[in-house]
Amino acid sequence: MSKKQPNIELPIEALKSESARQRWELFHRAIAHAKECNHASMEDGEPNGADPEAVGPLLTIVR
């Protein structure tokens, strides 16, 4: 008789690796979305020199 036991940890390991893969995929999608939003906001935020209301806030240093 064989005393081999079925590998019970295999499904758990598969779930762990699938979970890790999904987390990495979500992480990379979030980074891509953040880059896209940042790029879009930089393009939208560029003031036009002819539009006086498009001028951003002025920074002053007070001592």
Side-chain angles (χ1 to χ4, degrees), residues 50-61:
D51 188 7
E53 291 188 14
V55 177
L58 297 176
L59 293 176
T60 58
I61 300 174

Side-chain angles (χ1 to χ4, degrees), residues 1-61:
M1 283 180 122
S2 177
K3 293 188 177 183
K4 290 183 180 178
Q5 294 179 354
N7 192 354
I8 297 173
E9 293 180 3
L10 183 61
I12 294 172
E13 291 298 321
L15 288 175
K16 286 181 181 179
S17 64
E18 179 64 18
S19 177
R21 185 195 63 76
Q22 288 175 353
R23 284 194 309 268
W24 275 110
E25 182 180 338
L26 185 61
F27 172 75
H28 288 291
R29 287 174 54 194
I31 295 296
H33 179 71
K35 284 182 180 180
E36 183 179 312
C37 289
N38 189 28
H39 183 68
S41 68
M42 286 175 41
E43 285 181 352
D44 292 342
E46 291 180 0
N48 186 358
D51 188 7
E53 291 188 14
V55 177
L58 297 176
L59 293 176
T60 58
I61 300 174

